[in-house]
DNA sequence: CTAGTCACG
DNA sequence: ACGTACGTGACTAGC
């Protein structure tokens, strides 16, 4: 059998490993504070390769430094790249140490890149009859694929690779591996920063290479090409194309000081490797080494617990210090879920029971309500609401595992304790799905031992994760966010949910019957126009009627068929009267199903109220969301829908609904964060911000009348800026040409240069650190900021700039809610906070308290944080949510 | 269980 | 050449 040669592109794999694990970067640090994610990922890759490939010789090649013969030849080669993050740079020496401990050689050569070392050795291997495997994160190396050399390029993560053989290259690109060089010479390489020929992209480059075989031959026969813009560019850029070809060519004759004879694979050096793993804190790799277990590494010990009954409640008095507590509610909706059992303990003793009624008894109730005893829980809000139903007021929540975990990384949020624990490398607790099952089979086990073990493990996990998670919050400067905002907010939200909002079901029913009649009429008209009856709610059937039977033009398609969305139907409305009817039908059907029958289903019969649940640990930006039902999307824009709000009424006779909302809070946050002088000035002058934006970007004099259309366009531009604008997107929305939209955006950036700078800086920050943050250090990790796919990367860039704005606005209203609750209590008002709708707070209060709220609420809201522009709050009051004025 | 649609900020 | 504005939840159809 042929000898085998393994060549690894060290730099590119280390980069890949680092960015693949970037969203977990904080989980990978050793006890000295060294980041280890890239080292860990590198080892994963190595194990994966060595599992299938058994090399006789193996080498990991590294770049020697920034200066190479390519940079000498072309100044900008690899220019414009972002600085390598410090968290990565510090790992390189250790990767080399790891490589040695694994029995591979490593090598670098001044003035040359790792690619050239690999190219040269691969050629030597080819000539000496080796089968060679090259592992890299860089697709450029596929030019080295040959009959005896395969190039494995990492695909997703570090272990998922795509294998390039000459046949595979042919299949993907239609050219030979060596012709990849010619292709790149023509199209350039944006990541290595050389240009190629003007206006030639991958498609055209491949076409030309197929036609002419090589760059040289192309220029020998350039006269054969018909006159065209492309030909002009080719002639113009001949010099560049030839130079790019040299840049793109990986050397196969670099002056190496080593040869294949020097790089025999030695196999793992066990002792070195164990010492290395210990230094890095790689427990999982250590565990695989088949060594005698370490003393004291005993955290997999089965958990011991005691079943609590009415007869041994005294056991509770033996608990000491902070307590971890968990009340099991199997249904997601904790307002109505049954109680399956609970666990309470102090880290050594765990007391469990199936009987939640025991909690009402003195010793347990006293502990839970004691402000002197700190409690550790998972999802404090669910626990507060659940215990409230048992007449218990849970006090002094210190640690909430769910909340802390969400703040550390919004990406891996789950409502399952076992799942969350796993995210933090804690394995001693099962997930609910593992113990309770899923779907229809899901049930609390009858077997006591199974159930109690699971409960006790949950409490133990909460207990064990407290200190490490607090430490991580502190490292992220997120302790104030946790203790001063999110934990206090939990109580505020729990109170709002428990209070609920009164809904007049008769009002809804009356509206429902009217809607039913109207629907029947419209249906008849639609069937008449269509010439048959069909299900209007089915996009498939509707598409068939509109685009096949009635032959209306197809404007947009979806993955599965014709699009029938509003913007499409609006374009068709003047071509067939049926379209207008369908739009009407849709609007009414939506009201009927979601807002009439939907809301009627969730009114509690006991109090005629709706009790929503706010999800505090779901959104990627720090906003709340509302479920069961969603009270943050009750209709308001269209008059027919708005009527739904008539059903939302105060819970007492003589009370009123009062609401205050922030005016343009996101744009004010934008002015604050970007520090843009012009935007700040407009807000400080108290201007109508969309009008003043119009004045600036359309270059109008200060006293000019702003017509509605201009204001509308400026408003769309303002929204676009906040969302991460594209000319195409803006053009779609305001119905102008793409070039006009482009001009608006350019004007905006010229008028508000601070905003432009902020966008660039924020994206650069995200690239360097892998996350962005709000004014309170709320974080969002953006692993896709390094994605190869243009659209994924672009999306990450837009969210990078949007998240600090949307998220800071969310921070602000959260602070206001906490202050408001305190003020209501301190002033002994009867008023209650009922709803939060992102930039709006809704209250109910006795009519005589309304004047107090008129002053108090705006004052609390606009002083929640001190920005360098004023916050503005507007208030309304009325007898129902509909009648606010 | 996913896709399409539409309600909100 | 890419594919197109940020963040959500509920309902219905149809596999």
């Amino acid at each position: 059998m042929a000898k085998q040669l393994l060549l690894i592109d060290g730099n590119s794999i280390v980069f890949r490993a680092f960015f693949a694990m970037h969203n977990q970067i904080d989980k990978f640090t050793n006890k000295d504070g060294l980041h280890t994610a890239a080292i860990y990922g590198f080892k994963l890759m190595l194990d994966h390769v060595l599992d299938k490939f058994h090399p006789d010789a193996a080498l990991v090649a590294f770049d020697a430094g920034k200066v190479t013969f390519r940079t000498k030849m072309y100044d900008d080669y690899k220019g414009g790249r972002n600085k390598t993050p410090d968290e990565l740079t510090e790992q390189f020496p250790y990767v080399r140490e790891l490589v040695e401990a694994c029995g591979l050689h490593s090598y670098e050569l001044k003035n040359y890149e790792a690619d050239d070392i690999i190219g040269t050795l691969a050629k030597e291997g080819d000539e000496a009859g080796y089968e060679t495997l090259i592992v890299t994160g860089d697709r450029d190396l596929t030019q080295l694929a040959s009959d005896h050399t395969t190039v494995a390029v990492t695909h997703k993560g570090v272990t998922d690779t795509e294998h390039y053989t000459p046949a595979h290259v042919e299949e993907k690109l239609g050219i030979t591996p060596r012709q990849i060089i010619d292709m790149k010479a023509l199209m350039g390489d944006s990541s290595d920063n050389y240009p190629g020929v003007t206006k030639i992209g991958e498609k055209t480059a491949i076409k030309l290479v197929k036609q002419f075989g090589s760059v040289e031959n192309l220029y020998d026969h350039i006269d054969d090409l018909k006159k065209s813009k492309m030909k002009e560019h080719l002639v113009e850029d001949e010099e560049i194309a030839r130079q790019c070809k040299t840049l793109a060519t990986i050397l196969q004759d670099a002056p190496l000081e080593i040869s294949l004879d020097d790089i025999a694979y030695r196999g793992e050096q066990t002792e070195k490797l164990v010492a290395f793993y210990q230094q890095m804190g790689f427990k999982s790799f250590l565990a695989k080494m088949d060594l005698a277990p370490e003393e004291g590494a005993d955290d997999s010990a089965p958990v011991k617990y005691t079943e609590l009954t009415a007869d041994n409640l005294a056991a509770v008095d033996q608990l000491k210090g902070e307590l971890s507590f968990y009340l099991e509610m199997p249904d997601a909706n904790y307002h109505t879920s049954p109680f399956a059992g609970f666990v309470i303990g102090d880290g050594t003793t765990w007391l469990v029971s199936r009987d939640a009624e025991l909690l009402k008894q003195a010793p347990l109730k006293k502990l839970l309500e004691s402000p002197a005893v700190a409690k550790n829980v998972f999802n404090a809000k669910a626990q507060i609401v659940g215990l409230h139903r048992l007449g218990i007021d849970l006090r002094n929540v210190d640690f909430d595992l769910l909340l802390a975990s969400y703040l550390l990384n919004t990406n891996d949020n789950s409502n399952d304790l076992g799942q969350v624990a796993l995210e933090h490398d804690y394995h001693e607790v099962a997930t609910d799905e593992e113990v309770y099952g899923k779907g229809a089979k899901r049930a609390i086990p009858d077997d006591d031992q199974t159930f109690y073990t699971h409960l006790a493990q949950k409490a133990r996990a909460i207990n064990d994760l407290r200190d490490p998670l607090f430490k991580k919050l502190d490292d992220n400067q997120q302790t104030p966010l946790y203790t001063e905002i999110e934990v206090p907010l939990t109580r505020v939200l729990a109170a709002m949910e428990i209070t609920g909002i009164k809904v007049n079901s008769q009002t809804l029913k009356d509206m429902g019957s009217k809607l039913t009649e109207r629907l029947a009429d419209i249906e008849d008209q639609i069937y008449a126009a269509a010439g048959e009856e069909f299900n209007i709610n089915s996009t498939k059937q509707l598409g068939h009627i509109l685009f096949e039977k009635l032959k209306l033009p197809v404007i947009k398609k979806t993955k599965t068929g014709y699009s029938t969305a509003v913007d499409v139907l609006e374009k068709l409305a003047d071509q067939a009267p049926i379209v207008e009817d369908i739009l009407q039908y849709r609007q009414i059907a939506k009201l009927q199903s979601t807002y009439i029958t939907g809301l009627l289903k969730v009114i509690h019969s006991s109090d005629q109220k709706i009790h929503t649940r706010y999800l505090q640990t779901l959104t990627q930006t720090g906003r709340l969301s509302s479920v069961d039902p969603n009270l943050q999307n009750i209709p308001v824009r269209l008059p027919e829908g708005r009527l739904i709000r008539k059903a939302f009424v105060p819970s007492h006779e003589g009370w009123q609904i009062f609401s205050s909302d922030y005016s343009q809070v996101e744009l004010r946050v934008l002015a604050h964060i970007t520090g843009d002088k012009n935007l700040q000035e407009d807000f400080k002058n108290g201007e109508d911000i969309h009008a003043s934006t119009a004045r600036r970007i359309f270059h109008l004099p200060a006293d000019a009348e702003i017509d509605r259309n201009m204001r509308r366009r400026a408003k769309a531009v303002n929204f676009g800026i906040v969302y991460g604008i594209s000319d195409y997107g803006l053009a779609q929305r305001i119905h102008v040409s793409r070039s006009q939209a482009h001009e608006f955006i350019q004007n905006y950036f010229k008028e508000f240069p601070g905003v432009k700078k902020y966008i660039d800086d924020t994206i650069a920050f995200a690239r360097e650190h892998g996350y962005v943050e709000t004014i309170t250090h709320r974080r969002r990790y953006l692993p896709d900021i390094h994605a190869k796919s243009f659209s994924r990367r672009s999306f990450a860039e837009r969210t990078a700039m949007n998240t600090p704005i949307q998220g800071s606005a969310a921070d602000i209203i959260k602070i206001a809610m906490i202050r408001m609750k305190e003020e209501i209590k301190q002033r002994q008002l009867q008023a209650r906070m009922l709803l939060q709708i992102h930039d709006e707070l809704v209250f109910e209060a006795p009519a005589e308290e309304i004047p107090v709220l008129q002053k108090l609420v705006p004052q609390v809201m606009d002083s929640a944080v001190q920005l360098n522009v004023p916050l503005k709050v507007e208030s309304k009051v009325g007898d129902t949510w509909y009648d606010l004025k």
Side-chain angles (χ1 to χ4, degrees), chain A residues 432-564:
Chain A
D432 284 347
E433 191 177 312
E434 284 162 355
V435 181
Y436 302 158
K438 68 168 175 178
K441 287 206 193 105
R442 191 182 141 101
I444 298 293
D446 290 331
D447 177 52
D448 279 350
Q449 202 193 332
T450 309
F451 180 48
Y452 287 155
T453 300
H454 188 49
L455 282 185
Q457 284 183 335
K458 282 187 173 184
R460 187 177 62 177
I462 295 168
N463 178 78
D464 292 353
L465 284 166
R466 177 188 180 275
D467 293 349
L469 262 61
F470 274 164
K471 165 89 170 57
K472 288 184 193 175
L473 285 171
D474 218 41
D475 292 345
N476 288 358
Q477 301 175 288
Q478 290 180 306
T479 303
L481 169 62
Y482 174 82
T483 56
E484 288 162 36
I485 300 180
E486 296 297 342
V487 169
L489 181 70
T490 299
R491 288 192 68 80
V492 176
L493 294 174
M496 290 164 68
E497 294 178 10
I498 290 168
T499 300
I501 184 164
K502 179 87 172 274
V503 177
N504 188 333
S505 46
Q506 197 53 50
T507 310
L508 289 178
K509 285 176 192 157
D510 292 346
M511 290 176 64
S513 2
K514 282 187 201 143
L515 294 182
T516 306
E517 284 174 31
R518 285 182 62 190
L519 274 181
D521 287 349
I522 300 171
E523 258 175 59
D524 288 344
Q525 288 185 40
I526 292 173
Y527 295 152
E532 63 181 290
E533 297 203 358
F534 65 100
N535 187 341
I536 308 168
N537 287 318
S538 160
T539 48
K540 200 176 156 199
Q541 294 180 37
L542 180 61
H544 171 77
I545 298 285
L546 293 180
F547 303 111
E548 287 170 24
K549 191 160 176 192
L550 300 178
K551 304 247 188 296
L552 292 172
V554 177
I555 294 184
K556 202 165 75 180
K557 287 203 148 197
T558 65
K559 272 184 249 176
T560 51
Y562 309 110
S563 170
T564 64

Side-chain angles (χ1 to χ4, degrees), chain A residues 763-880:
Chain A
I763 292 171
F765 181 96
R767 287 202 189 113
E768 191 181 333
H769 296 97
Y771 67 87
V772 290
E773 59 182 9
T774 69
I775 54 175
T776 66
H777 299 295
R778 186 187 301 284
R779 265 184 200 204
R780 177 176 187 174
Y781 287 94
L782 298 166
D784 272 357
I785 201 82
H786 299 289
K788 273 198 306 209
S789 140
F790 173 88
S791 65
R792 289 173 61 153
R793 193 173 62 247
S794 304
F795 187 61
E797 288 170 359
R798 291 196 294 272
T799 48
M801 64 145 302
N802 173 266
T803 297
I805 297 167
Q806 189 180 124
S808 297
D811 295 341
I812 292 170
I813 196 164
K814 284 178 169 180
I815 295 168
M817 292 168 75
I818 296 162
R819 297 261 175 84
M820 244 348 275
K821 182 95 189 293
E822 290 165 359
E823 290 288 340
I824 288 174
K825 189 172 179 195
Q826 212 191 339
R827 292 164 191 250
Q828 301 188 335
L829 297 173
Q830 291 176 269
R832 300 151 167 177
M833 208 186 307
L834 300 180
L835 304 172
Q836 188 255 41
I837 308 156
H838 310 306
D839 61 358
E840 175 186 6
L841 295 177
V842 178
F843 301 81
E844 63 174 1
E848 61 271 21
E849 284 185 10
I850 296 295
V852 182
L853 295 186
Q854 295 274 21
K855 264 191 80 171
L856 179 62
V857 181
Q859 193 214 315
V860 168
M861 284 174 73
D862 68 32
S863 65
V865 296
Q866 208 56 51
L867 301 185
N868 49 30
V869 289
L871 285 171
K872 190 174 162 198
V873 177
E874 290 169 350
S875 303
K876 291 173 182 168
V877 63
D879 290 332
T880 75

Side-chain angles (χ1 to χ4, degrees), chain A residues 97 108 148 165 201 242 297 302 368 394 423 447 485 514 561 600 614 637 689 751 777 788 869 878:
Chain A
E97 205 179 304
E108 64 182 52
H148 300 287
T165 57
R242 291 186 191 268
L368 293 169
L394 179 67
E423 296 289 347
D447 177 52
I485 300 180
K514 282 187 201 143
L600 282 169
Y614 289 103
R637 291 174 194 169
I689 197 65
E751 291 294 321
H777 299 295
K788 273 198 306 209
V869 289

Side-chain angles (χ1 to χ4, degrees), chain A residues 167-235:
Chain A
H168 188 63
V169 173
E170 163 78 36
E171 188 189 323
K172 281 197 82 146
L173 301 175
I175 56 181
T176 70
R178 300 305 297 172
Q179 286 175 330
I180 290 174
I181 303 169
D182 298 281
M183 171 185 102
K184 294 203 58 177
L186 294 172
M187 68 183 270
D189 184 321
S190 58
S191 78
D192 286 348
N193 200 39
Y194 55 84
V197 176
T198 310
K199 295 275 180 192
I200 291 193
E202 184 174 312
K203 294 266 160 70
T204 322
I206 290 176
K207 205 184 83 195
L208 289 169
V209 171
K210 276 192 197 163
Q211 192 178 344
F212 292 99
S214 72
V215 169
E216 292 75 14
N217 197 47
L218 163 66
Y219 281 108
D220 288 346
H221 298 90
I222 189 84
D223 297 333
D224 299 357
L225 277 173
K226 274 189 295 193
K227 187 172 182 307
S228 69
K229 265 267 169 292
M230 182 183 79
K231 183 175 175 183
E232 282 171 36
H233 291 311
L234 281 168
V235 172

